[in-house]
């Protein structure tokens, strides 16, 4: 906008405490407190979990060390008992020691001393290391242990009777690892007499460890002071008896008289563990209990997850409450400010969203208000018209756009000041072609308001409406109203010795294209036809579309009739070229009628009527041609319209039999054995007044007025019911009109007729002409394949006439080719058509197709066709078309005759 206002501030607003900031600060503090509390809680729970597990694990370790301290002390008791026994027996020499300790009585005494819960073996070795007695069996195995390290260590120990050695050995007797405990046996004077040993299997420790282990993840292991793993649960084969480099836990074996706990990485599995270690008092052994740290903290993980979720929910609650409170506070602030600006904003929006440009001046002829629509309308920058700008400068910007010109700015300003005193309106045209409507309204204080409205589009619409009133919307050709006006003007020149011609052009079978491919394709075809018609005429001629598929041409300044013939030949040549319409390749044609002025009439209505009669005469003569008006055409047209009326009446009741229609059947003769191979169904119409009407007369009319589908469906249904009663080897042939073929329901109707009659699909043969394939061969081939899927046979009728193309035989495997009668008639002539028939038969035979010759009327024709290899014949030579009752009798009689022969 070009108007300017002052900015206002709320006094003291900046001095007051901002409640939003205070709330945000409070929220931050609360969130910090929640995070801190959650963190402390999680840390506290973790410390508690670690402490509880440490306490439980150390208590378990104390029980184990006490248990094994007692168990291992049994060997000391055994040693003392043996020493007392030796003293009482007076044993002072090694020989006496061997004599006494190798007896059966001593074997029994040793076994009695094994009262431990831990299964073990007691052995007695003499001073040379020979095994002299054992609880494992009697007599003892003759084995020497004198070279063993523990034996040498005890033998060389001197007078220390309390020294005990323990190590993991491989038993020479059982060949299994055993944990050995050994003590020295001495005489009264300290002489070395032998060694008492105790062997314990590591499995005994592991089994006991398993009973006290809290979980499968926890481990309990027995180590000696040389860091050798003696027993472990869970058991690890490769590790038992192996010495390890001491880690932070094993390094405490010598000093851990009491339980010692630490967190470290396991030396065996590499997992982070909490391990407790305690030495067994009096023995060079220690027990290590260990649990994976993640197992220790499993409950803590759940507590941590719950704590974090609770903290997040609390934080979300705080944030949500703060969001709602802050939103409410801000909303209140916004409402208070919005209330102050509301009226001004409403006025601004109303002015800037007007469709008209608005420019307001005060009594001093200075700009007060200018809206955005005004600036956009004249392509002016935002601040071009500013508040207080004099009228003269504003008019200067108008002049740039061509809104005002002629006078100088001072004179123009004076004229404006005179005119604004009263209400008035005017329309101006800008340099860019736009049309602007100005409305001036004076105001009470001496100023005025001018609205500027861009009415360019409205102006164009009015012009377009005027154009549409005289031109066709699809082709942009003159419509019927303008054509009549232009023809009337041209007829005015006839009195001066000039002549002209009116040509009616009607597209042949356009309705079928429109119905089968859709109106969009039909419209595209009409547009292309209009272009080609315009290309065929001179600039002085008139081409108009009268409606539907009808066009009209006015040939001006006509010199002679040959000129018209040449024009219509050019039109036919142009229209017969293929059209590409929305992906469809279409072929079409036209029927044309010509009326000359003044020869055929100088009155507008009379001339148009005569051109119309000539066009209908061209259609009646087979279409795709042109006719000049002749007086007798009126009678022919009236006769054709009467036939059309009678045909509608005959079909109107729905009962075609009562309307005079009847199906005749003409047999087909197989040349190989002269047997009847099938019959062709032919429609006949017996009119009560006209008598028998030729199909050549009423079938084209039925196609044109759109009743051919009804007739064709009735023929198909009636013929199928009749053929169902014939012998199984006799087929039925039914003709299908191109109009029927383009119906999307043809396959459904064929299937329904077969189902209702019970006729086998292989016995039905549908005959189509090449006209079916010409319109849109891709669509036609799709329909043909659909019919083939039902099981019916397809025959190509009238082959060799019209627009025959061998590509059709390649693209679709027809079952039969019917050779047109025009080739059969001259087949026996010296320069006749036998070579053409031979070529067709050869082509058909190479593609496994049957050939049927139509119109065979002489025996010579029949024999020649047999010689040429034709499969079947059809014609009056054998039989004309007959009613149903007669054809049944003919089939039975011929069948009997053939069997008798």
């Amino acid at each position: 906008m070009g108007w300017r206002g002052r900015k206002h501030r709320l006094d003291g607003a900046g001095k007051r405490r901002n409640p939003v900031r205070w709330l945000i600060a409070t929220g931050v503090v609360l969130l910090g407190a929640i995070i801190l509390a959650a963190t402390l809680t999680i840390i506290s729970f973790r410390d508690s979990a670690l402490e509880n597990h440490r306490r439980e694990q150390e208590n378990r370790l104390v029980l184990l060390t006490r248990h094994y301290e007692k168990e291992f002390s049994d060997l000391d008791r055994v040693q003392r008992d043996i020493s007392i026994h030796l003293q009482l027996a007076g044993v002072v020499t090694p020989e006496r020691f061997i004599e006494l300790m190798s007896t059966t009585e001593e074997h029994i005494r040793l076994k009695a001393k094994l009262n431990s819960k831990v299964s073990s073996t007691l052995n007695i070795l003499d001073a040379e290391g020979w095994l002299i007695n054992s609880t494992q069996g009697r007599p003892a195995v003759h084995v020497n242990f004198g070279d063993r390290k523990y034996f040498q260590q005890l033998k060389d120990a001197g007078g220390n009777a309390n020294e005990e050695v323990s190590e993991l050995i491989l038993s020479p007797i059982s060949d299994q690892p055993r944990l050995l405990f050994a003590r020295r046996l001495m005489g009264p004077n300290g002489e070395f007499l032998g060694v008492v040993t105790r062997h314990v299997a590591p499995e005994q420790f592991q089994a006991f460890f398993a009973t006290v282990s809290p979980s499968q993840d926890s481990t309990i292991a027995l180590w000696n002071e040389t860091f050798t793993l003696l027993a472990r649960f869970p058991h690890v084969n490769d590790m038992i008896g192996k010495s390890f480099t001491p880690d932070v836990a094993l390094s405490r074996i010598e000093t851990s008289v009491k339980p010692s706990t630490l967190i470290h990485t396991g030396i065996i599995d590499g997992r982070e563990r909490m391990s407790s270690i305690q030495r067994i008092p009096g023995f060079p052994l220690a027990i290590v209990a260990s649990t994976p740290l993640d197992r220790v903290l499993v409950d803590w993980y759940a507590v941590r997850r719950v704590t974090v979720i609770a903290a997040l929910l609390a934080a979300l609650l705080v944030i949500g409450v703060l969001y709602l409170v802050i939103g409410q506070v801000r909303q209140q602030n916004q409402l208070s400010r919005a209330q102050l600006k509301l009226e001004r904003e409403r006025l601004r929006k109303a002015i800037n969203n007007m469709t008209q440009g608005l420019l307001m001046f005060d009594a001093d002829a200075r700009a007060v208000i200018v809206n955005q629509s005004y600036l956009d309308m004249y392509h002016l920058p935002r601040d071009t018209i500013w508040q207080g700008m004099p009228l003269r400068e504003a008019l200067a910007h108008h002049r740039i756009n061509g809104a005002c010109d002629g006078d100088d700015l001072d004179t123009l300003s004076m004229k404006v000041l005179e005119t604004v005193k009263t209400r008035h309106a005017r329309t101006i045209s800008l340099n860019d072609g736009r049309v602007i409507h100005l409305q001036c309204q004076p105001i009470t204080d001496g100023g005025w308001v001018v609205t500027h409205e861009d009415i360019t589009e409205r102006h164009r619409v009015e012009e377009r409406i005027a154009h549409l009133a005289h031109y066709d919307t699809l082709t942009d050709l003159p419509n019927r109203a303008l054509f009549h006006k232009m023809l009337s003007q041209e007829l005015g020149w006839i009195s001066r010795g000039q002549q002209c011609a009116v040509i009616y052009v009607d597209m042949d079978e356009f309705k079928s294209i429109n119905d089968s491919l859709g109106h969009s394709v039909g419209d595209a075809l009409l547009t292309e036809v209009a272009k080609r018609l315009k290309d065929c005429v001179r600039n002085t001629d008139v081409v108009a579309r009268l409606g539907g598929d009808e066009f009209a041409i006015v040939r001006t300044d006509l010199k002679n009739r040959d000129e018209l013939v040449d024009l219509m030949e050019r039109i036919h040549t142009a229209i017969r070229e293929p059209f590409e319409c929305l992906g469809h390749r279409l072929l079409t044609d036209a029927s044309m009628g010509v009326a000359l002025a003044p020869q055929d009439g100088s009155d507008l209505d009379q001339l148009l009527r005569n051109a119309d009669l000539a066009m209908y005469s061209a259609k009646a003569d087979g279409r795709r041609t042109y006719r000049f008006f002749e007086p007798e055409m009126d009678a022919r047209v009236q006769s054709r319209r009467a036939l059309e009326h009678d045909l509608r009446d005959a079909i109107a009741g729905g009962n075609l039999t009562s309307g005079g229609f009847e199906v005749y059947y003409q047999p087909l003769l197989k040349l190989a054995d002269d047997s009847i191979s099938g019959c062709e169904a032919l429609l006949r119409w017996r009119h009560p007044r006209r008598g028998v009407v030729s199909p050549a007369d009423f079938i084209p009319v039925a196609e044109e007025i759109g009743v051919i589908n009804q007739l064709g469906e009735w023929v198909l249904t009636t013929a199928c019911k009749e053929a169902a009663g014939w012998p199984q080897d006799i087929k039925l042939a039914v003709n299908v009109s191109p109009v029927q073929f383009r119906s999307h329901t043809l396959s459904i109707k064929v299937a329904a007729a077969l189902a209702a009659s019970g006729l086998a699909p292989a016995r039905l043969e549908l005959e189509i002409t090449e006209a079916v394939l010409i319109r849109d061969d891709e669509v036609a081939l799709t329909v043909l394949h659909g019919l083939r899927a039902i099981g019916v046979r397809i025959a190509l009728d009238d082959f060799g006439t019209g627009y025959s193309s061998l590509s059709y035989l390649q693209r679709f495997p027809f079952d039969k080719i019917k050779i047109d009668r025009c080739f059969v008639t001259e087949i026996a002539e010296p320069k006749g058509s036998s070579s053409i028939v031979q070529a067709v038969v050869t082509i058909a035979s190479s593609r496994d197709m049957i050939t049927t010759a139509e119109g065979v009327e002489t025996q010579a024709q029949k024999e020649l066709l047999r010689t040429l290899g034709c499969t079947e014949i059809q014609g009056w030579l054998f039989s004309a078309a007959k009613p149903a009752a007669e054809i049944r009798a003919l089939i039975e009689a011929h069948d009997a005759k053939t069997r008798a022969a």
Side-chain angles (χ1 to χ4, degrees), residues 708-719 740 745 749 752-753:
I708 192 64
N709 282 323
Q710 188 175 352
L711 284 172
E713 185 177 354
W714 179 81
V715 170
L716 178 65
T717 304
T718 303
Q740 279 181 272
T745 61
K749 290 177 180 178

Side-chain angles (χ1 to χ4, degrees), residues 198-209:
R198 181 181 184 181
H199 296 254
V200 181
E203 291 83 0
Q204 298 293 321
F205 294 100
Q206 292 164 189
F208 186 73
F209 290 164

Side-chain angles (χ1 to χ4, degrees), residues 314-325:
L316 290 174
L317 180 62
V318 170
I319 292 172
V321 172
L322 285 175
Y323 178 79
L324 293 175
V325 174

Side-chain angles (χ1 to χ4, degrees), residues 668-671 677 793 796 799 815-819 837-846 848-854 865 868-874:
L668 284 75
L669 197 66
K670 190 187 299 183
L671 289 176
S677 59
R793 297 166 57 83
L796 183 59
F799 185 76
D815 298 289
K816 178 187 289 188
I817 296 176
K818 299 194 73 174
I819 303 171
V837 173
Q838 178 67 73
V840 174
V841 170
T842 302
I843 293 172
S845 177
S846 67
D848 296 326
M849 299 178 187
I850 294 172
T851 51
T852 300
E854 298 179 298
L865 288 167
L868 293 176
C870 188
T871 312
E872 299 172 338
I873 63 169
Q874 177 183 0

